[in-house]
Amino acid sequence: VSADTVLAPLRAALDSCRPSVQKQVCNDIGRRLTVLEDAWAQGKLSAPVRKRMSLLVQELEQQHWDAADEIHRSLMVDHVNEVSQWMVGVKRLIAETRNLPDAATDGSAETEPKTETEPGQEE
């Protein structure tokens, strides 16, 4: 798995969050993704971590939020020393991407259609 295969979708998700997420939060996520990128480039990540990050990104792209969260948790439990510096950013990115307005349109989230109520129709 190449670093770009994992990082490109993460950075794309970050870009999609920028309009609706505080600048400070986005900058922090961006810094943590850079830490991930550096660790990957320097060969500091084990094969299991690289493989699971690839799976996490696939779940993220398919908007399978719970599955992405589960992979994140397993990485934190099994590989905390390797992932602790940057995984917080990935976790936040999952949460922010999940909260985007268009993220609920895939059917995995139960959302009620918003209907405008005309004055006098509240019953």
Side-chain angles (χ1 to χ4, degrees):
V1 184
S2 76
D4 200 47
T5 307
V6 170
L7 283 154
L10 291 174
R11 293 203 187 281
L14 176 58
D15 288 342
S16 67
C17 289
R18 286 194 187 276
S20 58
V21 179
Q22 288 180 348
K23 184 179 182 201
Q24 186 178 350
V25 171
C26 291
N27 290 346
D28 181 61
I29 294 171
R31 277 193 302 276
R32 291 178 188 276
L33 291 181
T34 301
V35 172
L36 165 59
E37 185 174 21
D38 293 346
W40 198 302
Q42 295 166 15
K44 292 182 179 175
L45 299 181
S46 64
V49 169
R50 295 192 309 266
K51 176 70 175 154
R52 282 200 225 172
M53 279 306 298
S54 171
L55 293 171
L56 188 151
V57 165
Q58 290 172 23
E59 298 296 359
L60 193 64
E61 288 179 311
Q62 295 170 22
Q63 297 185 350
H64 297 158
W65 314 119
D66 293 340
D69 252 349
E70 192 55 44
I71 295 168
H72 148 264
R73 269 194 295 280
S74 74
L75 279 164
M76 285 300 286
V77 170
D78 298 342
H79 303 278
V80 67
N81 292 336
E82 270 182 87
V83 307
S84 60
Q85 288 189 313
W86 48 266
M87 188 53 87
V88 176
V90 174
K91 176 181 172 40
R92 188 71 189 262
L93 188 57
I94 294 168
E96 296 298 350
T97 308
R98 180 182 219 158
N99 289 334
L100 288 176
D102 62 348
T105 59
D106 71 333
S108 70
E110 292 293 319
T111 55
E112 292 188 24
K114 291 187 172 130
T115 53
E116 299 272 331
T117 316
E118 299 267 332
Q121 286 187 339
E122 301 92 6
E123 178 150 12

